[in-house]
Amino acid sequence: MSGGLFALLDDVAVLAKAAAASVDDVGAAAGRASMKAAGVVVDDTAVTPQYVQGVAAQRELPMIKKIAVGSLRNKLLLILPAALLLSQFLPWLLTPILMLGGTFLCYEGAEKIWERFSGHHEEETLATELDAEAEKTMVSGAIRTDLILSAEIMVISLNEVSDEPFLTRAAILVVVAIAITFLVYGVVALIVKMDDVGIALTQRASRFAQKVGHGLVRAMPGLLATISAVGTVAMLWVGGHILLVGLEDLGWHAPYDAVHHLEVAVHDAAGALGGLLGWLVNTALSAVAGLLVGAVVVAVMHVLPFGHATTKDSSEPAAH
């Protein structure tokens, strides 16, 4: 009887090890999938603070919380089931859908650059006090924008683990959804409260604290501008790379091969820095490809009557 008990304990130990290994595998796969979606994550982080700029300080965190909950709902209740069903029954659609999302990212990045250099960017009207209805409208707008970015994050992540069993894919995507949502909106919360922290420090008796506080307040405009610029480049890079890889998967090898061959040439010629420089070459050329595609889409959207009307409507600030 004792032998049977020890055998049972051995079986339990083996199952526990297998379960732990499975959890580790899911975590590692989720990490790899999240890294592939890093560019869209940066853009998501860059976009969200715009929705709470100028809002009364006491409403910033509650609004971010509402947007974060909406983002998690988007990922888990809408995007995740659709993506899993798609990968299970129509996996060949993943590449075209990814390419559509990549084209959208290229358009968004090129549109931001066009607005900056053309002077057509509309200045937003900021409100320090919002009634409940206006706040609800702003939060709803942020959640709708997040839906597009979240869909791209989840599809990119899914594409990285498409060979895994169904339940494993589901577990990985749940981990990705929760982790990225907490990461993005945690960083957003830190960003939007940084100026409040700075102001609080300026009121301290310590001269060092005051100096740090003034530095934080002065740094905020530059930080937001940097995040916006990084987000724009990330959109072009990720969008361009998705399109290059998608064309390769669909049978047109020339664009991807040209970028890959140059990456390999730089890698082989650069010695110890080959990995870094090769990656930079691939990233830069992907961003250039993304900019070219995005510029074409921007031109179409601003030349065609329906595109011009859509762009004009979407650029007008919401009435508060």
Side-chain angles (χ1 to χ4, degrees):
M1 184 170 180
S2 60
L5 177 60
F6 285 123
L8 177 60
L9 291 175
D10 285 341
D11 290 341
V12 170
V14 170
L15 290 174
K17 289 179 180 178
S22 178
V23 170
D24 289 342
D25 290 342
V26 168
R32 291 194 301 271
S34 300
M35 287 301 295
K36 286 291 184 179
V40 191
V41 171
V42 171
D43 182 49
D44 204 358
T45 307
V47 166
T48 306
Q50 300 173 14
Y51 287 93
V52 294
Q53 283 185 19
V55 173
Q58 65 268 24
R59 295 306 306 158
E60 288 175 341
L61 290 183
M63 287 180 68
I64 290 172
K65 180 180 177 181
K66 291 178 181 178
I67 298 170
V69 171
S71 174
L72 197 57
R73 190 184 300 119
N74 283 341
K75 293 182 180 75
L76 295 180
L77 301 183
L78 298 178
I79 301 168
L80 178 60
L84 287 173
L85 290 174
L86 186 68
S87 68
Q88 187 70 19
F89 299 108
L90 296 170
W92 56 271
L93 270 180
L94 283 178
T95 294
I97 289 175
L98 270 174
M99 293 180 71
L100 286 175
T103 302
F104 173 78
L105 289 176
C106 295
Y107 163 70
E108 284 284 291
E111 175 81 359
K112 290 177 185 292
I113 293 174
W114 182 82
E115 287 177 347
R116 180 173 181 82
F117 288 101
S118 68
H120 284 73
H121 179 65
E122 298 276 353
E123 292 295 330
E124 294 184 359
T125 303
L126 300 178
T128 55
E129 293 187 11
L130 300 174
D131 58 33
E133 191 63 29
E135 180 175 312
K136 182 179 178 181
T137 300
M138 290 183 69
V139 170
S140 298
I143 293 173
R144 283 195 299 272
T145 300
D146 174 88
L147 178 62
I148 298 172
L149 296 172
S150 291
E152 193 67 12
I153 288 170
M154 297 298 282
V155 174
I156 291 172
S157 302
L158 175 62
N159 195 55
E160 289 303 305
V161 296
S162 58
D163 294 334
E164 299 288 344
F166 182 84
L167 291 179
T168 303
R169 288 201 306 272
I172 290 170
L173 291 181
V174 168
V175 172
V176 168
I178 295 173
I180 285 182
T181 301
F182 274 92
L183 172 63
V184 167
Y185 290 98
V187 172
V188 168
L190 289 175
I191 290 172
V192 301
K193 299 307 290 183
M194 187 178 294
D195 54 349
D196 293 334
V197 172
I199 291 172
L201 288 175
T202 62
Q203 299 170 354
R204 295 286 184 90
S206 167
R207 292 182 62 87
F208 176 75
Q210 293 176 5
K211 189 175 295 186
V212 172
H214 286 298
L216 287 176
V217 173
R218 286 194 299 268
M220 276 303 297
L223 175 62
L224 291 173
T226 300
I227 291 174
S228 179
V230 170
T232 299
V233 173
M235 281 190 288
L236 294 173
W237 155 46
V238 174
H241 186 72
I242 288 172
L243 292 177
L244 289 172
V245 174
L247 291 174
E248 169 81 5
D249 291 342
L250 294 177
W252 188 21
H253 306 290
Y256 180 84
D257 286 346
V259 172
H260 181 66
H261 289 158
L262 187 55
E263 177 187 4
V264 171
V266 171
H267 178 278
D268 293 342
L273 295 177
L276 174 62
L277 294 180
W279 178 83
L280 289 175
V281 166
N282 187 302
T283 298
L285 293 177
S286 296
V288 170
L291 179 59
L292 292 175
V293 173
V296 171
V297 180
V298 167
V300 170
M301 293 297 291
H302 286 277
V303 169
L304 294 182
F306 69 85
H308 180 71
T310 301
T311 304
K312 181 179 179 181
D313 292 341
S314 65
S315 64
E316 292 179 355
H320 301 316

